[in-house]
């Protein structure tokens, strides 16, 4: 799947470039233990660090990264980012803009005293024909002080300007710096094809396979990873990252 990113030529050497999601896995995932003691079980149990679906979700697609440091202090967001003159007149110059609260009236995340943050994109994104771009909050990143609103854009047709990524700032007490390079949006292409939902009961053969597979999962540690998990291809030119070990 070819994904094409373009930006104003004046910014090509100044921006954080989109990267495969597995290249920016958080430090806490690498540092967390593979096993931890469970009072319920009375012994060590495997943590989500050894759960392939958990890690694979965090590693899927690509990330849009924050282009500069953003400082949160006294309920305000600020930044110091000196950009050169740009070639495109309508291009944004700030990493953030905002939606007024009225634009999310009636939603569970509406608050009269809280605007919706909007991460400006400095990259246009073009997908192959028939594909849309699915954008979501970085998977399992509950450590971030915002929650991106999920959206989908037909990025095979909408390719001339950057996609904006709105988010709810959920931690009003957050004080500090959101660092340049922080993942703000996890994105991946999805095919615009109709779903064919085939619904029914198990056949006798499927019942036997269910029982056999369940027994394998219960009796063989790491059975999903070794027997059912597909190998993930790497992007062209991608260097293998230091990903967390998922033991068998």
């Amino acid at each position: 799947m070819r994904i094409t990113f373009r930006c104003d030529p004046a910014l090509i050497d100044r921006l954080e470039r989109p990267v495969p999601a597995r290249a920016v896995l958080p430090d806490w995932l690498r540092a967390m233990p593979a096993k931890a003691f469970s009072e319920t079980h009375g012994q060590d149990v495997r943590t989500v660090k050894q759960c392939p679906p958990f890690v694979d979700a965090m590693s899927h697609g690509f990330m849009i990264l924050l282009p500069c440091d953003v400082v949160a202090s006294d309920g305000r967001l600020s930044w110091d980012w000196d950009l050169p003159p740009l070639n495109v007149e309508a291009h944004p110059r700030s990493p953030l803009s905002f939606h007024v609260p009225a634009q999310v009236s009636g939603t569970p995340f509406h608050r009269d005293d809280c605007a919706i943050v909007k991460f400006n994109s400095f990259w246009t994104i073009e997908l192959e024909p028939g594909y849309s771009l699915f954008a979501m909050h970085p998977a399992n990143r509950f450590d971030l002080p915002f929650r991106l609103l999920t959206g989908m854009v037909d990025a095979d047709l909408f390719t001339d300007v950057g996609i904006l990524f709105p988010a709810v700032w959920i931690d009003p007490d957050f004080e500090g710096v959101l660092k340049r390079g922080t993942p703000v949006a996890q994105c991946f292409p999805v095919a615009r094809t109709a779903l064919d939902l085939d619904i029914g009961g198990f056949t006798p053969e499927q019942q036997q396979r269910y029982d056999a597979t369940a027994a394998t999962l219960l009796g063989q540690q790491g059975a999903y990873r070794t027997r059912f998990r597909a190998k993930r291809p790497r992007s062209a030119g991608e260097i293998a990252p230091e990903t967390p070990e998922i033991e068998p």
Side-chain angles (χ1 to χ4, degrees), residues 168-192:
V168 182
W169 196 270
I170 63 167
D171 187 358
D173 296 325
F174 178 83
E175 295 273 331
V177 180
L178 207 58
K179 290 288 189 181
R180 173 187 172 121
T182 297
V184 297
Q186 185 170 359
C187 306
F188 45 88
V190 292
R192 290 195 303 274

Side-chain angles (χ1 to χ4, degrees), residues 46 48-60 139-140 186 224-225 229 232 246:
R46 287 149 56 92
V48 292
K49 186 173 185 176
Q50 297 192 63
C51 177
F54 184 88
V55 178
D56 285 345
M58 299 179 72
S59 306
H60 187 61
N140 300 322
Q186 185 170 359
Y224 172 79
R225 184 186 71 84
R229 181 178 179 267
R232 266 54 179 175
I246 303 175

Side-chain angles (χ1 to χ4, degrees), residues 34-46:
K35 294 184 178 181
F37 184 77
S38 166
E39 295 285 351
T40 301
H41 296 86
Q43 62 183 12
D44 284 348
V45 296
R46 287 149 56 92

